[in-house]
């Protein structure tokens, strides 16, 4: 029975990196990262999360007032 | 932790208002209807209000398969629990991709579903991957095995909020994010619970709170297993604890309306993603988070986070905690040097004993005000199976 695995998707494409960078990354292949590919995927995901989180959705003034009114009615805001 | 290490992500908001809603309601009368139970109706609300961002609807075959096998959506976004709509074979025959259906809850139109695909699925594959077992004694597996044979995927648009007796305790991510901002909180720790609060929980919450600006206590109210505390008991006991033992400007209590999956590690990540969407910057992950029985290693729910550098929320890992008679208070494995004979563990069995027997050492386990509230119920625990499989049929 497979357990809660974290296997990567098989749908992958090649990406070219400087050889020296790959060799540096190779040192960290082992218990945490199964391969340089896994190491690079981890790093890219971490960076993407930071960038994507900057794209927050704002509220219009009218929406904000409506939300605040409900929060006051429920006792969450004074 | 003075820096706000994360910020809000783009939230999914798929609700209709005004003329657009009126037009959609009129259109809904001519559409194929899919009746849903409470559990699915609350998930519809969660999806359309952004609690499950970035999901815009129930998962398609591609996303479901990717989540089950790789713990990521097909576009690589971290997501560990299938959010799916199951339907009977006869209903599946009346649905087709490209069409729109309307979801009905308690006789009311709740949402439009833009059908992307209708597909059969393998219950055992979901059970094996998501729960790590095929043992039907596991409540999540038992539920998965009872699901209808087809799934329907597609985007949702909310028409009406599902009926909910706890509506006044439900806040949307837009509301919580604004609330945290109004309170001046830059860092917020989220706390997931399905239990009444004992002293161990309070110790854990206040330890986490000491590092951030505020704490978001977010009890899960919904379908749970026999032996768990009833929703009303959990909510009232938390309100009582907060009234007597917390600073009002440092805490927000609001519920998370969904069912427990008991999926251990995977559910811990799911719980963290949801709290990120509510605007939290940190999330407490304790021992055996969302676990049940002995299906998961004690700290598997913490170890799994190493695979997710991209959640946008910082997990705070805590060791097991207990009352130590020698220390005279709540401690954990990292802080108490005394042997096991000094420990009073916060187990469910001991807690129930403390609440029902005069010499049950209740004072070492639970606040007296909370104990008083819980004792108002002849039986505060769920006694019969709550699984509602009468939904999408």
């Amino acid at each position: 029975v497979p357990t809660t695995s974290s296997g990567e998707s098989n749908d992958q494409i090649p990406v070219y990196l400087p050889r020296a960078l790959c060799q540096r990354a190779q040192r960290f292949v082992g218990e945490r990262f199964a391969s340089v590919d896994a190491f690079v995927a981890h790093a890219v995901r971490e960076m993407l999360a930071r960038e994507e989180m900057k794209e927050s959705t704002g509220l219009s003034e009218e929406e904000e007032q409506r939300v605040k009114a409900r929060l006051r009615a429920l006792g969450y805001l004074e | 932790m003075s820096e706000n290490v994360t910020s809000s992500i783009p939230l999914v908001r798929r609700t209709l208002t005004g003329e657009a809603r009126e037009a959609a309601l009129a259109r809904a009368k001519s559409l194929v209807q899919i009746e849903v139970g409470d559990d699915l109706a609350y998930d519809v609300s969660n999806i359309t209000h952004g609690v499950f961002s970035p999901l815009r609807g129930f998962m398609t075959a591609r996303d479901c398969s990717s989540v089950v096998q790789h713990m990521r959506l097909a576009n690589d976004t971290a997501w560990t629990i299938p959010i799916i709509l199951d339907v009977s074979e006869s209903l599946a025959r009346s649905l087709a991709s490209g069409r729109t259906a309307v979801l009905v809850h308690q006789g009311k139109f709740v949402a439009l579903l833009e059908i992307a695909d209708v597909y059969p699925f393998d219950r055992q594959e979901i059970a094996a991957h998501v729960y790590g077992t095929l043992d039907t004694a596991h409540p999540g597996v038992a539920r998965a095995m009872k699901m209808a044979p087809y799934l329907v995927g597609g985007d949702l648009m909310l028409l009406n909020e599902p009926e909910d007796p706890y509506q006044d305790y439900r806040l949307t991510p837009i509301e919580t994010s604004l609330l945290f901002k109004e309170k001046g909180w830059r860092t917020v720790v989220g706390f997931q619970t399905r239990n009444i609060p004992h002293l161990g929980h309070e110790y854990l919450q206040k330890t986490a709170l000491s590092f951030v600006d505020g704490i978001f206590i977010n009890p899960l109210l919904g379908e749970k297993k026999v032996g768990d505390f009833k929703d009303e008991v959990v909510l009232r006991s938390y309100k009582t604890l907060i009234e007597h033992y917390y600073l009002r400007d440092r805490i927000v209590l609001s519920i998370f309306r969904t069912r427990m999956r008991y999926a251990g590690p995977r559910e811990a990540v799911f719980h963290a993603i949801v709290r990120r969407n509510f605007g939290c910057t940190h999330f407490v992950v304790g021992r055996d988070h969302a676990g049940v029985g002995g299906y998961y290693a004690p700290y598997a729910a913490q170890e799994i986070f190493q695979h997710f550098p991209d959640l946008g929320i910082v997990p705070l890992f805590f060791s097991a905690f207990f009352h130590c008679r020698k220390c005279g208070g709540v401690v954990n494995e990292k802080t108490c040097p005394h042997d096991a004979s000094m420990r009073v563990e916060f187990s469910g069995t001991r807690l129930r004993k403390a609440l029902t027997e005069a010499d049950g050492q209740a004072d070492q386990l639970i606040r007296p005000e909370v104990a008083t509230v819980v004792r108002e119920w002849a039986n505060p625990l769920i006694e019969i199976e709550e699984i509602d499989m009468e939904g999408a049929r």
Side-chain angles (χ1 to χ4, degrees):
Chain A
V1 173
T3 57
T4 52
S5 66
S6 61
E8 287 287 347
S9 167
N10 292 326
D11 184 13
Q12 300 186 342
I13 56 168
V15 173
Y16 296 95
L17 296 172
R19 185 181 304 278
L21 184 61
C22 276
Q23 286 170 343
R24 282 176 68 195
Q26 190 73 47
R27 293 193 298 125
F28 297 96
V29 172
E31 193 173 316
R32 186 169 177 199
F33 301 108
S35 61
V36 171
D37 305 58
F39 180 83
V40 172
H42 187 96
V44 172
R45 282 174 178 143
E46 192 167 26
M47 184 60 74
L48 278 172
R50 287 174 201 268
E51 294 302 316
E52 288 168 350
M53 280 186 295
K54 291 175 184 171
E55 304 167 352
S56 65
T57 306
L59 284 179
S60 69
E61 182 63 26
E62 186 185 346
E63 285 176 313
E64 187 168 319
Q65 291 309 316
R66 195 165 58 236
V67 170
K68 283 182 180 174
R70 179 168 192 256
L71 292 172
R72 283 193 199 94
L74 295 176
Y76 284 102
L77 277 180
E78 300 292 327
Chain B
M1 292 191 197
S2 58
E3 286 298 306
N4 188 349
V5 293
T6 61
S7 59
S8 59
I9 66 153
L11 286 172
V12 167
R13 297 166 67 196
R14 297 186 62 78
T15 59
L16 287 174
T17 56
E19 289 179 9
R21 177 175 168 273
E22 293 304 321
L25 283 168
R27 181 182 171 219
K29 291 173 186 168
S30 62
L31 299 175
V32 174
Q33 298 185 6
I34 303 176
E35 290 195 21
V36 296
D38 292 349
D39 169 53
L40 284 168
Y42 298 141
D43 275 354
V44 167
S45 180
N46 286 328
I47 291 166
T48 54
H49 284 295
V51 177
F52 290 170
S53 292
L55 302 191
R56 296 162 53 91
F58 288 108
M59 288 180 180
T60 60
R62 193 158 169 259
D63 275 331
C64 182
S65 172
S66 183
V67 165
V68 168
Q69 293 183 35
H70 309 298
M71 299 197 288
R72 291 184 175 274
L73 298 170
N75 71 359
D76 195 64
T77 305
W79 196 278
T80 51
I81 297 288
I83 302 296
I84 44 185
L85 171 61
D86 61 317
V87 298
S88 66
E89 187 174 353
S90 58
L91 182 53
R93 280 200 212 103
S94 68
L95 306 171
S97 60
R99 311 253 324 247
T100 303
V102 60
L103 305 189
V104 181
H105 177 242
Q106 296 182 8
K108 192 165 75 172
F109 294 153
V110 290
L112 296 182
L113 171 65
E114 296 160 20
I115 301 169
D117 58 359
V118 184
Y119 55 102
F121 72 108
D122 183 341
R123 298 180 185 91
Q124 292 203 353
E125 184 189 27
I126 286 187
H129 281 85
V130 176
Y131 302 105
T133 176
L134 292 176
D135 185 356
T136 51
H138 185 298
V141 175
R143 195 182 200 287
M145 294 305 182
K146 290 178 184 172
M147 290 179 76
Y150 284 83
L151 300 178
V152 186
D155 289 358
L156 291 163
M157 192 63 81
L158 189 75
L159 300 172
N160 285 303
E161 205 61 54
E163 293 295 327
D164 183 357
Y166 299 108
Q167 182 60 35
D168 286 353
Y169 294 95
R170 287 175 68 191
L171 297 179
T172 66
I174 289 288
E175 290 168 336
T176 52
S177 298
L178 185 63
L179 181 58
F180 300 156
K181 185 179 159 195
E182 288 294 304
K183 285 180 172 292
W185 296 354
R186 297 182 68 230
T187 50
V188 187
V189 62
F191 187 84
Q192 148 70 30
T193 184
R194 67 176 200 258
N195 284 310
I196 60 167
H198 53 56
L199 292 177
H201 292 133
E202 186 180 334
Y203 158 85
L204 198 155
Q205 290 159 6
K206 289 181 173 174
T207 301
L209 176 55
S210 61
F211 290 99
V212 294
D213 298 330
I215 186 164
F216 179 51
I217 303 285
N218 198 207
L220 184 151
L221 265 58
E223 183 185 300
K224 284 179 272 191
K225 67 179 177 60
V226 171
D228 278 2
F229 283 93
K230 293 173 180 170
D231 286 344
E232 180 70 16
V233 182
V234 173
L235 185 57
R236 282 222 22 229
S237 60
Y238 258 103
K239 286 174 67 179
T240 302
L241 178 75
I242 290 167
E243 180 186 346
H244 292 278
Y245 295 98
Y246 282 78
L247 289 167
R248 194 172 171 188
D249 63 352
R250 293 288 174 193
I251 190 163
V252 166
L253 171 70
S254 164
I255 63 169
F256 173 30
R257 205 71 162 108
T258 195
R259 66 182 171 85
M260 270 302 298
R261 274 78 176 175
Y262 304 98
R266 279 186 180 237
E267 192 163 9
V269 174
F270 169 61
H271 286 165
I273 292 169
V274 165
R275 275 47 180 230
R276 175 204 65 195
N277 291 337
F278 276 122
C280 296
T281 55
H282 298 74
F283 180 66
V284 171
V285 184
R287 183 184 182 279
D288 200 24
H289 185 112
V292 62
Y295 290 100
Y296 308 109
Y299 292 102
Q302 298 181 355
E303 291 159 6
I304 193 174
F305 279 84
Q306 69 181 294
H307 299 295
F308 298 96
D310 50 343
L311 293 183
I313 189 166
V314 179
L316 300 179
F317 301 135
F318 283 83
S319 304
F321 43 82
F322 43 84
H323 178 94
C324 172
R325 283 190 282 265
K326 183 77 172 173
C327 293
V330 180
V331 290
N332 67 36
E333 291 169 338
K334 290 166 73 177
T335 62
C336 175
H338 306 115
D339 64 56
S341 65
M342 290 289 147
R343 297 180 181 183
V344 181
E345 306 280 354
F346 292 101
S347 70
T349 305
R350 193 177 287 272
L351 196 56
R352 283 188 284 276
K353 185 180 174 190
L355 289 164
T356 54
E357 296 179 11
D359 60 347
Q361 299 174 310
D363 60 329
Q364 295 173 0
L365 298 174
I366 193 166
R367 294 290 191 186
E369 295 88 347
V370 174
T372 300
V373 166
V374 178
R375 286 177 181 133
E376 288 178 20
W377 275 265
N379 190 347
L381 305 174
I382 296 165
E383 295 170 279
I384 56 170
E385 200 174 72
E386 286 188 329
I387 293 179
D388 172 17
M389 301 301 293
E390 301 303 314
R393 298 298 152 90

